[in-house]
């Protein structure tokens, strides 16, 4: 016997906006279903009688006598089948149902990876209680990705990470709120800058002996910073959308990013080293400057690329929010290491003691 649940969320079946918590807060309880003993004709009759939106009638769910989820049949398959044939041979997706207690973002990622417009949601008894639509899943992922981007930019509220950061509050709300959520991350960068400044101070004699070295300090620092920001942003978005996973991180994600970083580091080092050689090295009779700049940039770019993936991964593993914390640490580490290599190479190749 065919059955259909009807709208209980309003005329459009709209649900509330995404918020942290289980997927049960986002499901729609309007969907088409039939018993596992139904025929193709019964299923098509259920589709004709339903009042759910067309997008939610693209599949017919199948349940047993206790209402437990058994799978679904696509409307396209039903239309091509013999009307009196049983529906069970057309059923697929018996393993895609998710628990009502599953996190919203996790459920949304699951639907994104499946070739279905609806994700069935079941309770602890595996009874089907609702569906997550593809549109709602994309809304959830958009909010989660936006939150990650806000945090990466240093405008996330570390005191209330469960609340979605709103542009209106940051641009029109109390000034103290905006200052508070931004300055904490800037303090990390400030501390890192002081550490790097101390390193430059240690090489004051080298810098004083070869003034041309000062010209390339911004290049070494900024190039690594840009690469690190690129890598950490790619990680954050990939992780939010399920393209970067903890399971395949070392074998797939990190190795790939390391190869990308290595390729970029070699290319940038060759170009910058050549420019430094002809621009400042030859005119100042210090041709070694090209090697110094090239090696320093290679180190900075390659290290920043690897750290952009590695540090967020470590922070997630230890239970720390990677979005606000990764970039300041990446900036400090790559600046310190890049300049250390830069001045050490200069001191060694050019022959200046420090």
């Amino acid at each position: 016997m065919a059955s259909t649940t009807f709208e209980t969320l309003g005329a459009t079946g709209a649900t509330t906006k995404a918020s942290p918590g289980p997927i049960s807060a986002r499901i729609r309880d309007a969907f088409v279903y039939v018993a596992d003993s139904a025929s193709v004709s019964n299923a098509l009759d259920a589709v004709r009688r339903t009042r759910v939106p067309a997008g939610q009638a693209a599949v017919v769910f199948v349940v047993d006598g206790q209402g437990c989820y058994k799978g679904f049949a696509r409307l396209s398959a039903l239309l091509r089948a013999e009307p009196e044939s049983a529906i069970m041979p057309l059923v697929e997706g018996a393993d895609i149902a998710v628990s009502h207690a599953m996190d919203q973002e996790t459920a949304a990622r699951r639907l994104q990876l499946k070739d279905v417009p609806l994700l069935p949601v079941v309770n602890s008894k595996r009874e089907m209680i609702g569906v997550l639509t593809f549109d709602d899943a994309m809304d959830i992922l958009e909010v989660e990705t936006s939150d990650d981007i806000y945090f990466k930019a240093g405008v996330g509220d570390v005191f209330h990470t469960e609340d979605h950061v709103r542009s209106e509050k940051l641009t029109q709300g109390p000034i103290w709120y905006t200052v508070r959520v931004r300055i904490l991350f800037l303090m990390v960068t400030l501390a890192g800058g002081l550490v790097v400044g101390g390193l430059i101070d240690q090489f004051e004699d080298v810098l004083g002996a070869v003034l041309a070295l000062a010209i390339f300090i911004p290049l070494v620092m900024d190039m690594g910073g840009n690469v690190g920001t690129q890598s950490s942003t790619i990680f954050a978005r990939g992780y939010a959308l399920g393209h970067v996973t903890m399971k395949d991180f070392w074998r797939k994600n990190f190795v790939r990013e390391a190869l990308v970083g290595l390729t970029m580091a070699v290319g940038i080092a060759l170009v910058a080293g050549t420019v430094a050689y002809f621009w400042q090295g030859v005119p100042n009779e210090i041709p070694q400057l090209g090697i110094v700049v090239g090696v320093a940039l290679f180190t900075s770019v390659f290290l920043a690329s690897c750290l952009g993936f590695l540090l967020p991964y470590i922070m997630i593993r230890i239970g720390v929010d990677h979005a606000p914390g990764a970039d300041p640490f990446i900036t400090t580490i790559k600046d310190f290491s890049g300049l250390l290599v830069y001045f050490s190479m200069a001191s060694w190749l050019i022959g200046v003691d420090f």
Side-chain angles (χ1 to χ4, degrees):
M1 175 178 169
S3 302
T4 308
T5 60
F6 296 113
E7 297 287 351
T8 60
L9 302 175
T12 63
T15 54
T16 58
K17 269 194 170 183
S19 60
I23 193 58
S24 57
R26 289 284 292 173
I27 63 174
R28 300 172 186 250
D29 62 358
F31 55 91
V32 183
Y33 71 94
V34 295
D36 53 6
S37 60
S39 66
V40 171
S41 178
N42 296 145
L44 292 175
D45 286 342
V47 173
R48 295 188 186 96
R49 294 198 310 270
T50 187
R51 290 161 38 194
V52 303
Q56 290 169 239
V59 297
V60 176
F61 294 98
V62 178
V63 299
D64 62 16
Q66 288 71 46
C68 296
Y69 174 77
K70 303 289 287 186
F72 67 86
R74 299 177 188 270
L75 182 58
S76 57
L78 294 173
L79 292 173
R80 291 194 295 264
E82 292 295 329
E84 300 308 317
S85 61
I87 193 173
M88 285 307 295
L90 303 177
V91 171
E92 57 181 288
D95 60 342
I96 71 168
V98 300
S99 167
H100 68 290
M102 178 178 283
D103 175 72
Q104 291 184 13
E105 185 179 357
T106 303
R109 289 178 185 172
R110 184 177 179 86
L111 177 56
Q112 184 189 33
L113 297 174
K114 301 295 181 179
D115 185 25
V116 291
L118 303 170
L119 184 69
V121 180
V122 299
N123 60 19
S124 57
K125 298 180 180 179
R126 201 169 172 74
E127 297 169 338
M128 189 168 174
I129 59 174
V131 295
L132 174 67
T133 68
F134 190 83
D135 288 343
D136 289 339
M138 294 304 99
D139 288 342
I140 293 172
L141 291 179
E142 180 181 359
V143 170
E144 295 294 338
T145 303
S146 296
D147 284 349
D148 281 347
I149 292 173
Y150 274 127
F151 273 116
K152 278 184 59 58
V155 291
D157 191 345
V158 295
F159 298 109
H160 302 90
T161 54
E162 73 280 4
D163 296 332
H164 298 301
V165 179
R166 301 302 178 193
S167 176
E168 292 81 4
K169 193 171 183 180
L170 289 168
T171 57
Q172 302 175 14
I175 292 178
W176 173 243
Y177 170 82
T178 304
V179 171
R180 184 188 67 181
V181 299
R182 294 176 65 175
I183 201 168
L184 292 178
F185 305 107
L186 297 179
M187 288 296 104
V188 177
T189 305
L190 175 62
L194 293 174
V195 171
V196 174
L199 174 67
I200 296 176
D201 183 61
Q202 292 297 313
F203 288 93
E204 182 179 1
D205 293 339
V206 178
L207 190 58
V210 186
L211 294 179
L213 289 173
I215 296 175
F216 299 99
I217 291 178
L219 178 64
V220 174
M221 297 177 66
D222 292 345
M223 188 63 71
N226 289 334
V227 172
T229 299
Q230 286 179 348
S231 296
S232 61
T233 301
I234 291 171
F235 178 95
R237 184 167 181 82
Y239 184 72
L241 297 177
H243 301 151
V244 175
T245 64
M246 297 296 99
K247 179 181 178 181
D248 295 328
F249 176 78
W250 291 108
R251 179 178 60 85
K252 182 179 179 182
N253 304 123
F254 182 75
V255 170
R256 183 181 186 279
E257 183 62 20
L259 290 174
V260 170
L262 180 63
T263 304
M264 293 192 301
V266 170
I268 291 171
L270 289 174
V271 173
T274 301
V275 172
Y277 172 80
F278 287 105
W279 179 30
Q280 294 293 327
V282 173
N284 292 291
E285 298 182 350
I286 45 175
Q288 305 95 319
L289 187 60
I291 299 176
V292 172
V293 172
V295 173
L297 274 174
F298 174 87
T299 302
S300 181
V301 169
F302 179 65
L303 185 61
S305 180
C306 293
L307 288 175
F309 264 50
L310 184 59
L311 283 182
Y313 169 80
I314 293 174
M315 297 177 78
I316 291 173
R317 281 298 190 189
I318 64 178
V320 177
D321 188 355
H322 67 94
D327 282 357
F329 288 109
I330 293 171
T331 299
T332 300
I333 294 173
K334 64 84 186 171
D335 282 351
F336 185 88
S337 59
L339 289 178
L340 178 62
V341 170
Y342 183 55
F343 285 118
S344 297
M345 287 286 296
S347 175
W348 175 50
L349 291 176
I350 300 174
V352 181
D353 294 329
F354 63 94

